[in-house]
Every structure is written in structure tokens, then in C-alpha cells.
């Protein structure tokens, strides 16, 4: 299939757009104040062009995407009196509104060039409890109350599966990672990375999809992690098991550029389909092109001792929920990242061109 270029697609679709731009230090700054740290035209596909054509850059995210089953956390303190001292949370009822849509000019907005739904996150901000990483991230909400079991899903092996909002479900996304922090310690896997999709369970995460790109590399790496479900007295035994998709997760300073990886701004997709007890993952890059690459993985979430791990209980007895967005892993603590602001490159930015939740 003939390659087209994202810059050409945008120019064609947005002729007459009032935004102006100026370039310096490899940055493009728009009148809205948003910054896009990527300048080289990257190859896209006709599939990407179709997605952009279906998005309206003048509309809020909820007017381009169905967000009625999602709430969002934004990396700042909540301005609601009953949530003082907590991270900003926008309910599904508010977020999913098409008549009074929610946006945030820095952390959650529509890209004025493509119509993509943008999630941006600094290296340091107020975080949710039990996390040291800031996020601009959606959380699936199948019911109105957190305490309602029907707010979450389970796998078929769960003895109380009928009490939950769904047995399994499917999360599909087409997106690009546009920026990751340029500060951090390359010896730390969290540096220069962001989690862009998750399944979170009661205690641990059976799935985290992450992208990581070292400074000086042209390509970044896409990978996923399975956290062994160690609970109770064994909770301290939990750990992540890494699976490379495109590139390698554990590259260090001086490593060779992972040319089988994904560039900043390059559009790719992931699909997470939990059916019965199986979690099926599909990742695609060069979508629709002659050199399209598809990687698939499957894991039975009901079975314990994944890859022989003694303390893994499996997830048959857990409830779960999907997450998607930008969970910046480059914190100022363990990842040794700095927090000198967007102009210094201390943030992460992810753009979604397609996001669907089937539950």
C-alpha cells in the first residue's frame, strides 16, 4: 500500500485552520499553548487518514469519542470541596457529556490539527493513593458507584462472576506516543516511559501496556507486563513479568537503537480481549501497509503460577477494570526524573485516534 505522511494528511484535512505555528528547538507551539515535541514527518497509513477524517478538531474529546463508560483522573488537585487534597477526578456523567463536554487545556484536550484525544502528564504532580506516578488516564466505569460490584468485570472462572457488570470485555485503541520525558536514569525501567493501557484488579495488575524511548534513540519500545497476583501475607512477593512487543523493554544507556520499535508520533494499535478466562492481546504497527506487523499473545488469567511463579495466585477470584491514557512512569523518585516543566521536556504526551470499550 502506498505510504502517505501524517503532515500531508493533516494539511489536507485542516485547510483553513486558524492555528499558527512557530518552530524552534524541535518544538511546534500552537496558539492554545500546547506543545508538540516531534517534527519529522512520520509515515502513516490510509487507515490513519480515515481515522483523522472522522475526528473533528473543533470538538471536545467526548464529542469525538464515546466516553460514557469512563471517568478520568487529571494530574492536579481536585477543585471540588468534598475532594480537597485529592487528585482531580471527573465523573463518567460529566466526562461523557456531549452538551457540556469536559476538557483541560494542559492535560486532556483535542489536538487542533488531527482531532485526536490527547492525554498529557508532567513528571511530578498530585497522584492517586498507592501510586508515585502522575497520570492523565481513563478508568472504566460500568456502574455509578465504586462499591457496586457491577462497576467492574470478572473472568468466567470467578465464583461470583454473575455479580459483576461484565464477564470479560474488549478494549481497542489506535494511538501514538508523541513524547516521553527526556530526563531520568536509564538504569530504571520507569524512566522515559508511560503506561498507555491497563487491566487493574483488586490488588495487582494482570496487564500494563507501556512505551519507552531512551534519549538519543529514534525508536522506542512497546511491551506489556503481567504482575503476579500475590496477595495476603505474600503481597510483598508480587513482581512484573515483561513481554517485548516491538523493541526491548530493558534497554540502557549505550544500547543500540531498537529499529524494530516505534517512533514518537508513529500510529499503532492495541486490542485487549478478555473472553472467558483468556486475555488475548493484539498489537499492530504499520497498520494497513505491505509491511504491517502483528504480534499476538494469550494468557489464561484463571490459572495460578504464571511462568512457574510460586506466589502467583492467578486472577480467578479478582474483579477488574480497564484503564487507558497516559500514566507517566518517569517520576522524580525511583526513576530519577526531573520536573522542570514542559519546555524542558519533563512530561509525557499520548494521542488517541480511536478508543472503544465493549462491555
Amino acid at each position: 500500500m502506498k505510504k502517505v505522511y501524517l503532515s500531508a494528511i493533516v494539511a489536507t484535512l485542516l485547510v483553513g485552520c486558524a492555528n499558527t505555528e512557530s518552530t524552534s528547538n524541535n518544538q511546534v507551539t500552537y496558539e492554545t499553548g500546547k506543545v508538540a515535541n516531534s517534527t519529522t514527518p512520520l509515515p502513516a497509513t490510509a487507515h490513519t487518514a480515515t481515522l483523522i477524517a472522522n475526528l473533528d478538531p473543533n470538538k471536545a474529546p467526548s464529542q469525538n469519542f464515546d466516553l460514557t463508560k469512563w471517568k478520568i483522573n487529571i494530574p492536579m488537585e481536585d477543585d471540588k470541596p468534598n475532594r480537597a487534597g485529592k487528585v482531580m477526578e471527573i465523573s463518567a456523567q460529566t466526562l461523557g457529556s456531549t452538551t457540556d463536554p469536559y476538557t483541560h487545556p494542559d492535560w486532556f484536550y483535542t489536538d487542533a490539527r488531527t482531532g485526536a484525544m490527547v492525554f498529557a502528564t508532567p513528571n511530578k504532580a498530585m497522584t492517586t493513593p498507592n501510586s508515585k506516578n502522575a497520570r492523565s488516564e481513563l478508568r472504566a466505569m460500568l456502574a455509578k458507584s465504586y462499591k457496586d460490584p457491577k462497576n467492574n468485570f470478572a473472568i468466567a472462572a470467578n465464583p461470583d462472576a454473575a455479580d459483576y457488570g461484565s464477564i470479560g470485555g474488549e478494549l481497542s485503541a489506535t494511538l501514538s506516543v508523541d513524547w516521553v520525558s527526556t530526563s531520568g536514569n536509564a538504569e530504571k525501567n520507569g524512566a522515559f516511559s508511560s503506561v498507555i493501557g491497563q487491566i487493574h484488579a483488586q490488588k495487582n495488575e494482570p496487564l500494563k501496556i507501556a512505551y519507552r524511548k531512551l534519549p538519543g534513540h529514534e525508536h522506542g519500545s512497546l511491551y506489556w507486563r503481567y504482575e503476579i497476583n500475590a496477595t495476603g501475607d505474600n503481597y510483598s512477593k508480587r513482581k512484573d513479568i515483561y513481554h517485548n512487543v516491538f523493541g526491548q523493554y530493558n534497554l540502557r544507556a549505550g544500547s543500540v537503537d531498537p529499529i524494530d520499535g516505534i517512533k514518537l508520533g508513529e500510529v499503532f494499535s492495541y486490542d485487549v480481549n478478555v473472553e472467558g478466562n483468556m486475555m488475548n492481546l493484539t498489537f499492530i504497527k504499520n497498520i494497513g501497509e505491505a509491511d504491517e506487523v502483528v504480534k499476538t499473545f494469550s494468557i489464561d488469567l484463571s490459572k495460578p503460577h504464571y511462568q512457574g511463579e510460586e506466589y502467583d495466585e492467578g486472577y480467578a477470584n479478582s474483579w477488574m477494570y480497564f484503564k487507558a491514557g497516559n500514566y507517566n512512569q518517569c517520576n522524580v523518585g525511583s526513576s530519577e526524573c526531573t520536573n522542570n516543566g514542559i519546555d524542558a521536556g519533563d512530561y509525557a504526551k499520548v494521542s488517541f485516534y480511536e478508543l472503544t470499550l465493549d462491555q
Side-chain angles (χ1 to χ4, degrees):
M1 179 175 289
K2 182 180 178 180
K3 288 187 178 181
V4 290
Y5 288 84
L6 192 56
S7 57
I9 294 171
V10 175
T12 300
L13 294 174
L14 302 183
V15 170
C17 181
N19 284 346
T20 60
E21 61 181 357
S22 61
T23 59
S24 62
N25 298 323
N26 289 334
Q27 296 182 344
V28 180
T29 305
Y30 289 82
E31 288 180 344
T32 54
K34 304 177 183 69
V35 179
N37 296 75
S38 182
T39 57
T40 304
L42 297 173
T45 66
H47 177 258
T48 305
T50 299
L51 293 177
I52 293 174
N54 289 330
L55 298 173
D56 188 337
N58 298 307
K59 290 184 176 180
S62 65
Q63 295 171 318
N64 281 321
F65 300 84
D66 181 2
L67 300 180
T68 55
K69 290 184 179 179
W70 299 98
K71 72 141 179 110
I72 192 170
N73 284 119
I74 299 294
M76 57 187 292
E77 184 174 358
D78 208 312
D79 57 5
K80 296 183 284 294
N82 65 326
R83 289 187 56 81
K86 298 181 179 180
V87 70
M88 177 71 78
E89 180 178 282
I90 306 300
S91 70
Q93 291 79 13
T94 299
L95 180 64
S97 172
T98 57
T99 57
D100 185 21
Y102 176 81
T103 65
H104 189 280
D106 297 316
W107 312 128
F108 179 68
Y109 56 88
T110 297
D111 189 291
R113 303 157 296 163
T114 65
M117 176 167 53
V118 178
F119 300 82
T121 313
N123 287 358
K124 182 180 180 180
M126 181 168 285
T127 67
T128 54
N130 307 316
S131 177
K132 56 191 176 184
N133 301 312
R135 71 182 84 209
S136 176
E137 187 181 40
L138 300 169
R139 192 268 199 212
M141 299 287 291
L142 304 184
K144 292 183 178 180
S145 170
Y146 275 113
K147 296 181 180 180
D148 187 345
K150 293 190 178 300
N151 192 42
N152 307 300
F153 76 90
I155 60 175
N158 190 306
D160 300 315
D163 294 338
Y164 294 97
S166 174
I167 297 176
E170 185 172 13
L171 173 66
S172 300
T174 305
L175 68 156
S176 64
V177 178
D178 303 320
W179 191 255
V180 291
S181 176
T182 52
S183 68
N185 182 347
E187 298 300 312
K188 310 291 186 178
N189 289 334
F192 323 117
S193 75
S194 183
V195 170
I196 54 179
Q198 294 190 59
I199 295 178
H200 200 295
Q202 285 172 268
K203 294 291 184 180
N204 304 308
E205 293 87 25
L207 176 68
K208 284 185 177 178
I209 302 169
Y211 176 92
R212 182 173 187 259
K213 191 192 83 69
L214 269 64
H217 281 180
E218 184 178 6
H219 299 81
S221 298
L222 184 72
Y223 52 93
W224 64 278
R225 305 179 342 227
Y226 172 89
E227 185 174 32
I228 67 169
N229 193 28
T231 64
D233 292 340
N234 294 323
Y235 185 63
S236 64
K237 306 293 186 181
R238 69 196 191 283
K239 68 176 184 179
D240 290 326
I241 299 175
Y242 289 75
H243 305 76
N244 291 322
V245 182
F246 305 121
Q248 300 86 46
Y249 79 91
N250 60 344
L251 298 180
R252 301 296 184 237
S255 296
V256 175
D257 190 345
I259 59 174
D260 61 332
I262 295 174
K263 299 177 182 179
L264 290 176
E266 185 175 348
V267 176
F268 62 95
S269 71
Y270 66 74
D271 181 83
V272 183
N273 187 9
V274 180
E275 188 172 9
N277 296 323
M278 299 300 297
M279 179 176 72
N280 302 301
L281 307 176
T282 303
F283 303 91
I284 308 176
K285 70 172 186 173
N286 304 332
I287 303 170
E289 298 187 50
D291 58 348
E292 179 179 273
V293 184
V294 181
K295 297 285 186 71
T296 60
F297 304 82
S298 293
I299 173 175
D300 189 337
L301 293 177
S302 70
K303 292 183 178 180
H305 311 305
Y306 181 64
Q307 294 192 356
E309 290 293 335
E310 176 184 359
Y311 298 102
D312 181 34
E313 302 168 16
Y315 286 87
N317 296 313
S318 291
W319 46 258
M320 309 174 209
Y321 52 89
F322 286 110
K323 307 192 82 174
N326 179 359
Y327 184 24
N328 189 357
Q329 302 297 286
C330 207
N331 62 65
V332 299
S334 59
S335 297
E336 300 179 19
C337 305
T338 58
N339 189 48
N340 296 318
I342 286 178
D343 289 342
D346 285 345
Y347 72 105
K349 178 173 174 273
V350 181
S351 297
F352 281 72
Y353 295 86
E354 189 174 38
L355 180 70
T356 59
L357 176 65
D358 183 10
Q359 284 188 302

